[in-house]
Amino acid sequence: MNTVFNHHPNLKRPFKSSVWPAATFNLGPHSVTKEHVDMGNYAAGACPITALGSYDPMKGGHMVLWDLKLIIKFPPGSTIILPSSTLHHGNTTIQPHECWYSFTQYASGVIFHWFDYGFRSAQQLL
């Protein structure tokens, strides 16, 4: 990533000390994600997902990892790092009066293609 940022000095990291070039805040207040994979993310990478908000983690907001057949209690402030482009994941609903937010960092696969292609798109290689 340092090479990409050095080649394109106009690009800025979302956070100075983060190794991930992109971040997303899901500000709900009921940020529930159904089973999915993030197919655009770097396939060999991993993404940290942090749960935020105010909810009872005994009743909802669980992280579900379908491929692994796991349902994990995921209290506010918890972080899980997972291969989001290959592992089906999501979270369960919370109570109507509660809030569930998330903060996710990731790397798009396109950034790595751009680097591998000598800072050109695949179309420019043709």
Side-chain angles (χ1 to χ4, degrees), residues 14 23 25 34 36 38 57 59 61 63 66 76-77 86 95 103 107 118 124:
F25 288 93
K34 296 181 180 182
H36 71 285
D38 300 303
K59 295 182 178 178
M63 178 62 62
W66 276 270
T86 58
Q95 304 301 303
F103 171 62
Q124 291 173 311

Side-chain angles (χ1 to χ4, degrees), residues 89-109:
H89 61 284
N91 65 291
T92 62
T93 61
I94 56 173
Q95 304 301 303
H97 62 281
E98 298 176 327
C99 296
W100 197 101
Y101 309 112
S102 67
F103 171 62
T104 304
Q105 297 182 78
Y106 60 96
S108 171

Side-chain angles (χ1 to χ4, degrees), residues 56-111:
D56 183 346
M58 301 301 285
K59 295 182 178 178
H62 298 71
M63 178 62 62
V64 182
L65 306 176
W66 276 270
D67 300 320
L68 303 177
K69 297 180 174 40
L70 291 174
I71 299 174
I72 302 167
K73 289 179 186 161
F74 203 53
S78 296
T79 299
I80 188 170
I81 300 175
L82 53 86
S84 67
S85 67
T86 58
L87 185 66
H88 288 81
H89 61 284
N91 65 291
T92 62
T93 61
I94 56 173
Q95 304 301 303
H97 62 281
E98 298 176 327
C99 296
W100 197 101
Y101 309 112
S102 67
F103 171 62
T104 304
Q105 297 182 78
Y106 60 96
S108 171
V110 173
I111 294 171

